[in-house]
Amino acid sequence: GSNFDHAGENDKSYTKMNIELWGDADIYPDRTPEQIKELQNIQGLGADEIVRRHIDRQMQMMSQCMKYHKRAGRTWVILADSDEYLVFNPKDKNDRPPMKKNWKDPNTVSTPDKAATENWWHRKFEYQKTTRSRVPRIGGNVSIADFVLAEKNQHPWLYEDDPCLNVPRLFYSSKKSNPSVVLSAVPDRIQEKYDTDTLNTIRYRHNAGKFHNKFNLLGKSIVDVARVSFENLAHVSDNTHSPIRGVCKRAYTKYDISILRFNHYLGPWEEHTKREDVRRSKEHYDWKANISEAE
């Protein structure tokens, strides 16, 4: 998890990232060294039990991460993997027509309470749908933290809104784009400082398309930990896509009404296998490696 609180609304010089490496002792603070050693020993275990332990470790990591940021007085925390990057989700040529509204006209419902509920959904839907036309461009000078602070009185950032926001993912394959296409989207100041062929977020541009759920799969969450109790932060689920029981109520969000998205990169095979997971195989990697519904 990581936090995107701004260092201060007037502090534009704050660009550094504080990285802390945690081990199992941090993830399982209530367990003894002997218990942790036993947990790490997967010798002779079947694949199902190895996966179960892997997921439990992920969820406990998320729980400790959220509690850590809550104790530090922070708000929105990103719960994503190291190959997923939170970006703006502007309208583009690959969009479909707007989805059918899932709320009724507030003026036609039967009771004041129902009218208020429908009006809330109306505002939330319309705000997110229309805001996609004006979100800052990716790579511009406005960060997501800046944007959230400026929009704090709008859905879905209002204090009375849900503190857990599910964000869709867009899958990027490891099929390389033509170098000229890649460089055309990279500012000169970046080309001067970095070898762009080593940056996955620049060299890989082929993706599954915004509506190909077979490869994009479920979304990931960002959570305003200031509005979630420590008790609930400890009550994590077994699903990384809706991590807090009773708080994160959905694991999927339509692109049409999402201001943000996660770009999810497959990366080269050598990097893909650095993360130990019995579910990762060369056969499964090759199946996804050349996906190209959009670029």
Side-chain angles (χ1 to χ4, degrees):
S2 59
N3 172 264
F4 63 63
D5 267 350
H6 203 288
E9 292 191 43
N10 298 316
D11 183 8
K12 298 299 183 183
S13 64
Y14 189 87
T15 58
K16 294 182 179 180
M17 180 181 294
N18 180 31
I19 299 175
E20 292 188 19
L21 298 179
W22 286 8
D24 285 338
D26 301 293
I27 299 171
Y28 297 104
D30 298 329
R31 300 199 182 190
T32 66
E34 292 74 21
Q35 290 173 324
I36 291 175
K37 187 175 181 180
E38 176 62 27
L39 187 67
Q40 293 170 337
N41 182 16
I42 60 173
Q43 190 70 28
L45 296 180
D48 289 346
E49 175 60 17
I50 293 175
V51 170
R52 188 197 68 77
R53 291 192 184 189
H54 174 82
I55 293 174
D56 179 73
R57 190 173 185 273
Q58 279 185 308
M59 302 314 299
Q60 293 306 317
M61 171 67 186
M62 287 185 180
S63 176
Q64 296 299 335
C65 174
M66 288 187 287
K67 288 188 284 187
Y68 171 87
H69 286 299
K70 183 177 179 67
R71 284 191 291 268
R74 299 188 177 115
T75 54
W76 291 98
V77 173
I78 302 167
L79 299 176
D81 291 333
S82 58
D83 55 6
E84 296 169 334
Y85 301 83
L86 188 65
V87 299
F88 291 112
N89 184 39
K91 289 186 176 181
D92 61 29
K93 63 182 181 180
N94 297 313
D95 274 11
R96 292 177 178 176
M99 63 175 284
K100 184 180 179 180
K101 66 181 183 181
N102 59 352
W103 42 266
K104 298 177 182 177
D105 184 338
N107 296 316
T108 65
V109 297
S110 57
T111 68
D113 286 345
K114 286 186 176 181
T117 298
E118 296 298 339
N119 193 43
W120 185 89
W121 278 106
H122 179 185
R123 294 197 309 271
K124 188 170 185 174
F125 175 86
E126 286 296 321
Y127 167 75
Q128 295 196 73
K129 183 182 70 173
T130 57
T131 300
R132 289 187 62 222
S133 299
R134 63 175 180 83
V135 294
R137 66 181 183 85
I138 298 173
N141 294 323
V142 178
S143 71
I144 291 175
D146 291 329
F147 182 81
V148 172
L149 282 170
E151 302 280 318
K152 62 184 179 182
N153 294 321
Q154 301 288 347
H155 294 294
W157 317 113
L158 283 171
Y159 191 85
E160 59 266 29
D161 276 341
D162 291 336
C164 183
L165 180 66
N166 185 267
V167 178
R169 290 188 296 172
L170 181 62
F171 174 78
Y172 282 76
S173 71
S174 57
K175 180 178 180 179
K176 287 190 177 182
S177 295
N178 185 294
S180 62
V181 174
V182 173
L183 292 177
S184 67
V186 181
D188 291 340
R189 58 186 173 83
I190 300 297
Q191 294 185 42
E192 292 169 0
K193 290 185 177 181
Y194 304 101
D195 178 1
T196 56
D197 199 46
T198 65
L199 303 175
N200 289 353
T201 56
I202 292 178
R203 62 173 168 166
Y204 297 123
R205 303 179 63 85
H206 292 276
N207 61 74
K210 291 184 177 181
F211 302 93
H212 202 316
N213 295 335
K214 184 177 181 180
F215 295 102
N216 293 329
L217 303 175
L218 300 175
K220 290 292 182 73
S221 296
I222 60 175
V223 177
D224 183 356
V225 295
R227 290 187 278 152
V228 184
S229 68
F230 279 106
E231 180 181 2
N232 281 335
L233 291 178
H235 196 49
V236 289
S237 70
D238 57 358
N239 184 348
T240 59
H241 306 283
S242 53
I244 310 175
R245 297 185 191 278
V247 175
C248 297
K249 301 172 183 176
R250 59 192 306 165
Y252 173 76
T253 298
K254 292 182 179 292
Y255 282 94
D256 314 64
I257 57 168
S258 184
I259 301 168
L260 306 173
R261 72 171 189 257
F262 281 106
N263 285 351
H264 179 202
Y265 292 86
L266 180 65
W269 170 247
E270 296 74 22
E271 291 183 13
H272 188 73
T273 54
K274 285 182 179 179
R275 293 175 56 193
E276 295 183 8
D277 189 335
V278 295
R279 296 169 295 183
R280 296 191 171 203
S281 67
K282 189 64 166 65
E283 180 183 13
H284 191 251
Y285 177 89
D286 290 341
W287 175 60
K288 298 188 293 184
N290 291 303
I291 298 300
S292 181
E293 294 294 324
E295 184 179 12

